[in-house]
């Protein structure tokens, strides 16, 4: 029986972007089932001791850029350290990923999530703009009508439930991976995720 990974994501997170394709490849290689679960960091942070980027101390903000540049080079995923459309509200994109998951399944949700992350950190596109999201759906071979589906109360409810599930699992940042109740936080922990998926102890 294959393992299931609850993959808690924030569509505006550079760290989620840096790990997304590597995680997807790991999961495929291990035959794992991935449940894509967008979460609302605006709810997560106040309850877990986190701060939005603009409210962090200058030293922390500066070091974040150093680490992003290091990891970008290390993993071979170029990104813009100062993208044109960031900070950006992630809720519309998160609801779209949720709608795609609910209507088209998790593999499709992985595709649109990857496209949204790349739109922010590589392509200088505004993921809070419905026109951008509509274009990304088309580029991923998905129905443009999913943008309308994302406005449904049931999708907001699912988004809220995923955020609740993240809190219940002890999640406090993105990306986070939960396997059989075991939490792994951050794309820099993917080696541990890989070992866990292979059946070993993390």
């Amino acid at each position: 029986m294959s393992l299931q990974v609850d993959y808690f994501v924030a569509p505006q997170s550079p760290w989620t972007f840096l790990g997304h394709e590597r995680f997807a490849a790991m999961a495929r290689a291990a035959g794992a089932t991935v449940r894509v679960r967008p979460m609302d960091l605006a709810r997560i942070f106040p309850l877990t001791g986190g701060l939005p980027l603009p409210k962090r101390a200058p030293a922390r903000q500066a070091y974040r850029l150093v680490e992003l540049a290091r990891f970008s080079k290390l993993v071979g995923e170029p990104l813009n350290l100062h993208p044109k459309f960031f900070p950006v509200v992630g809720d519309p994109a998160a609801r779209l990923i949720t709608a795609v998951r609910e209507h088209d399944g998790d593999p499709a949700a992985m595709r649109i999530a990857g496209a949204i992350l790349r739109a922010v950190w590589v392509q200088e596109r505004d993921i809070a703009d419905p026109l951008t999201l509509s274009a990304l759906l088309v580029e991923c071979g998905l129905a443009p009508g999913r943008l309308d589906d994302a406005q449904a109360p049931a999708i907001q409810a699912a988004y809220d439930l995923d955020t609740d599930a993240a809190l219940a699992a002890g999640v406090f940042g993105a990306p986070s991976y939960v396997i059989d109740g075991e939490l792994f936080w951050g794309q820099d922990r993917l080696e541990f995720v890989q070992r866990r998926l292979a059946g070993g102890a993390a």
Side-chain angles (χ1 to χ4, degrees):
M1 183 176 179
S2 67
L3 289 171
Q4 176 172 307
V5 185
D6 285 329
Y7 177 33
F8 291 100
V9 303
Q12 72 274 42
S13 161
W15 306 109
T16 304
F17 166 68
L18 287 173
H20 185 77
E21 295 303 330
R22 286 183 295 137
F23 168 63
M26 285 178 190
R28 283 194 301 269
T33 301
V34 177
R35 180 69 168 169
V36 187
R37 308 190 77 170
M39 60 180 174
D40 185 356
L41 289 180
R43 283 184 55 204
I44 299 280
F45 280 169
L47 298 174
T48 59
L51 287 174
L53 181 61
K55 295 185 177 180
R56 295 175 197 169
R60 288 180 178 269
Q61 293 192 41
Y63 189 69
R64 168 184 170 276
L65 296 176
V66 172
E67 285 281 78
L68 282 174
R70 285 175 178 161
F71 275 105
S72 172
K73 184 176 181 181
L74 179 68
V75 305
E77 286 280 10
L79 59 72
N80 298 315
L81 290 177
H82 302 282
K84 182 177 181 181
F85 297 102
F86 185 84
V88 61
V89 174
D91 292 336
R95 285 192 293 266
L96 179 59
I97 296 167
T98 303
V100 168
R101 181 193 74 204
E102 294 298 297
H103 289 276
D104 304 297
D106 283 289
M110 286 291 285
R111 290 203 312 277
I112 193 64
I116 287 168
L117 290 160
R118 187 165 296 277
V120 180
W121 295 103
V122 178
Q123 299 171 344
E124 304 280 31
R125 298 164 80 178
D126 182 4
I127 64 166
D129 184 345
L131 292 176
T132 298
L133 295 177
S134 180
L136 290 170
L137 285 166
V138 173
E139 290 163 25
C140 288
L142 296 166
R146 292 291 174 260
L147 198 59
D148 292 329
D149 296 331
Q151 309 309 311
I155 297 302
Q156 180 63 52
Y159 181 33
D160 291 339
L161 284 173
D162 284 334
T163 302
D164 292 341
L167 288 165
V171 169
F172 50 87
S176 288
Y177 319 88
V178 179
I179 306 171
D180 281 345
E182 186 174 0
L183 171 64
F184 303 83
W185 170 55
Q187 59 83 33
D188 52 338
R189 302 300 190 271
L190 278 173
E191 183 177 349
F192 293 114
V193 171
Q194 187 172 36
R195 290 174 64 185
R196 184 68 177 79
L197 290 176

